[in-house]
Structures are given as C-alpha cells and as structure tokens.
Amino acid sequence: MIHAIRVHETGGPDVMKWEEVEIGDPGAGEARVRHTAIGLNFIDTYFRSGLYPAPAGMPFTPGNEGAGVVTAVGEGVTNVSPGDRVAYVGPLGSYAEERLVPADRLVIIPEGVDDKTAAGMMLKGMTARYLLRKTYTVTPETTLLFHAAAGGVGLIVGQWAAKLGATVIGTVGSAEKAELARANGYTHVINYRTENFVDRVREITDGKLCDVVYDSVGKDTYPGSLDCLRPLGLWVSFGQSSGPITDFNLALLGPKGSLFATRPTLFTYIASRADLEETANDLFEVVRSGDVKIQVNQEYALKDAVTAHEDLQGRKTTGTTVLVP
C-alpha cells in the first residue's frame, strides 16, 4: 500500500484526503514510478473543484505532472527501464507516492536537471514552448502581452521570449511580482491593480498594440485582452484562474480588427510520441543551457496538498511549486 491524495467529491481544497491506496503491478505498456517530486499547477484546482470533470470519475487522485524513478515496467515497454529517472505530464493522478504511468508518456530526465526542477517544469515549461513556438511563432519582431507574468508559466515565457528577441509585456498584481517579472525577461511590466493594462499597452507600443496576447486569467482580463491586439492579432486563451469567460462573443473579433482567437491545451500539442519528445527536448535544452531558469520557490509535503492549494488560489505563490512525498 502507498499513500495518495484522493478526491471523493468536488469542492474546495479540504475535499482532498490523504489515504492509503493499492496500485498493483504495471500492465502492458505501463511503468511503475516512485515519485521524488510532483508539480503543482492551477489546472489541479480545476479538477478538484469540478470545473473540469475528472476523466475516470470519482474518486480520483489529482495532479498532472511528476518526476521520479522507474521501479518496474510492464510487457512491451522498451523506452524506459527500472532505475531510470523520468518525468511526465498526464494522465491525472500524480498526487501519490507511487503510481502507474503509460510508459509512452515518460521522458528520461537528462543529466544537469534535478528531479524537483523536472517535476515542476514539465507542464509549465512545455506549455511555454507550445505557446511561443507553435501556437504563435515568436520572433525578434514580435510584441507580446502575457498576463500573470510572475506565475509559473509566466516566468518561463518571459525568459524564453526574451531569448527569442521579442518585446515582452507582462501584467502582475503587486510591486513585488513586478520586480520578479522584470528579472525574468519582461521588457515592460504593468501592475493591473494600480494601472489600466489596456491603456498602458497602448502607451508602451505607441498605439501599435500587440501581435499576440497570452491569457490564462480569463474573466478578469476579458474583453480587455482583445483591445491590446493590433489588427489580425491572436488572442490565446489558455486558462481561467479568475473564473471562466461566460459571455464570449465571436462577433467582437471583427470590429476589433479581424482578430484570431484560440483555446489551446498542452495535451493536444504533445499527443503523439514524436511531438512529446520534440517539446520536452526543446525544454530540457533551454534549461540546461541556462537560457531559462526554473525557480522552485515553494515546497510542500504531499500530505499538505490542502495548504498548497489554498496558497496557490490565494495568489501567495510565485514561480514553481512542488509537492514532495
């Protein structure tokens, strides 16, 4: 028996319970992984609250990413072996001391990347990669706006986009977070609690506005995000930390400049093994080179996941957070 966080009914952080569970031996195509670190992400709160339904129903174990050591493999598994250090994103169920994972979702952690860094960067880092290199191809000519610049994805995007030569504008909610964003690649930082971000974007860009806006905030930044885009610009809505957008009007895109809008998810961009390997390898490379530094700013014991969720939703965290079994 091992311990895991289990959710029997959706709701606030306190619905998560620390329980003993049996996971058994790996089946065909599976590997058993003993976690050394587990990533905490805002999407975890969506499944816990019921905003996103758990694919396998109730009860379930939250968590989308982790790192650890392979302890056993099932029939037909050739890409990993017992003793390998591995990391992964998905499927749901990482808030556990050990678990079974489809082996084709595992990637080997290279030398020079520690387990906590790997656990905390897979979802956020691969999200940054697809946003900057696939959803919109960022170049030195790009001016972009990224909401929640001091968050886990935001700090990675700031560094990576700066390395690509872009003009990087970010929004934050405090003076402390503004300093953090500036230290991580942001050319301009807007404190949305004291400034109107639409007006400031106009000022910063001399009225030219942005090529692309990356928006994981949702309700509080809509439709303002659309007003930060130049004609034919792209609005990338990839989260909803302030709540879902319930009144999206497709017709708005026309008069606001024939804008484009997309709602991407990482899991589409890494659905194939080849895409997963390409995305992970790009991420590992920029981290190993030092171009992107992953800041693990908070650690919680796995059994204290309730506190971790409370702090995450209370905007008390910055950068990357990991849970340690």
Side-chain angles (χ1 to χ4, degrees):
M1 301 285 280
I2 57 99
H3 284 89
I5 297 291
R6 299 287 279 169
V7 174
H8 294 266
E9 60 179 349
T10 56
D14 60 353
V15 302
M16 296 187 294
K17 307 300 180 185
W18 182 241
E19 298 177 351
E20 281 192 333
V21 297
E22 179 63 58
I23 60 173
D25 297 324
E30 292 183 327
R32 181 163 173 158
V33 175
R34 174 177 54 79
H35 285 132
T36 51
I38 297 151
L40 177 74
N41 296 283
F42 221 96
I43 193 174
D44 302 348
T45 71
Y46 298 163
F47 285 107
R48 186 214 70 225
S49 69
L51 182 61
Y52 291 176
M58 296 288 187
F60 70 92
T61 295
N64 283 278
E65 68 179 345
V69 178
V70 175
T71 59
V73 298
E75 181 183 354
V77 173
T78 59
N79 64 302
V80 295
S81 303
D84 285 344
R85 286 196 313 135
V86 295
Y88 66 89
V89 173
L92 209 63
S94 66
Y95 285 21
E97 293 174 324
E98 298 184 43
R99 69 170 299 191
L100 302 178
V101 184
D104 69 352
R105 295 291 90 192
L106 297 172
V107 294
I108 302 293
I109 302 172
E111 292 298 320
V113 178
D114 65 74
D115 287 13
K116 288 179 182 177
T117 299
M121 78 178 189
M122 294 302 290
L123 192 149
K124 300 178 186 72
M126 291 201 294
T127 295
R129 195 268 182 181
Y130 86 72
L131 291 174
L132 297 174
R133 308 307 289 151
K134 291 292 185 179
T135 302
Y136 187 94
T137 302
V138 170
T139 71
E141 288 72 45
T142 302
T143 297
L144 68 87
L145 173 65
F146 194 96
H147 290 298
V153 178
L155 295 181
I156 297 171
V157 162
Q159 297 174 73
W160 205 330
K163 182 65 178 178
L164 293 170
T167 299
V168 195
I169 307 170
T171 67
V172 297
S174 71
E176 294 77 15
K177 289 185 176 182
E179 288 304 310
L180 185 60
R182 288 189 188 97
N184 283 273
Y186 285 86
T187 320
H188 307 278
V189 182
I190 302 165
N191 185 338
Y192 63 80
R193 296 191 187 279
T194 60
E195 303 173 283
N196 180 295
F197 72 83
V198 177
D199 291 343
R200 284 290 291 125
V201 165
R202 288 198 182 102
E203 292 173 9
I204 290 166
T205 63
D206 293 326
K208 296 178 182 177
L209 304 177
C210 298
D211 300 289
V212 57
V213 173
Y214 297 109
D215 190 343
S216 66
V217 176
K219 179 170 65 70
D220 290 353
T221 48
Y222 177 82
S225 289
L226 301 182
D227 295 321
C228 295
L229 286 166
R230 63 186 55 176
L232 305 181
L234 174 64
W235 177 51
V236 183
S237 173
F238 69 103
Q240 48 197 28
S241 61
S242 69
I245 296 168
T246 57
D247 59 348
F248 174 67
N249 181 0
L250 187 65
L252 275 180
L253 301 179
K256 288 185 180 292
S258 298
L259 303 177
F260 294 87
T262 185
R263 184 64 167 86
T265 69
L266 170 62
F267 302 103
T268 305
Y269 282 88
I270 59 170
S272 74
R273 179 70 193 179
D275 287 339
L276 171 61
E277 290 180 348
E278 178 185 315
T279 303
N281 289 340
D282 278 359
L283 174 61
F284 286 138
E285 180 56 34
V286 295
V287 171
R288 292 178 71 185
S289 70
D291 290 337
V292 172
K293 295 177 173 60
I294 306 298
Q295 301 176 34
V296 181
N297 292 339
Q298 298 83 210
E299 293 184 23
Y300 299 82
L302 176 57
K303 63 182 177 63
D304 295 329
V306 170
T307 302
H309 274 228
E310 289 172 344
D311 289 351
L312 179 66
Q313 291 190 279
R315 300 179 187 270
K316 296 178 181 178
T317 65
T318 60
T320 296
T321 303
V322 296
L323 308 174
V324 181

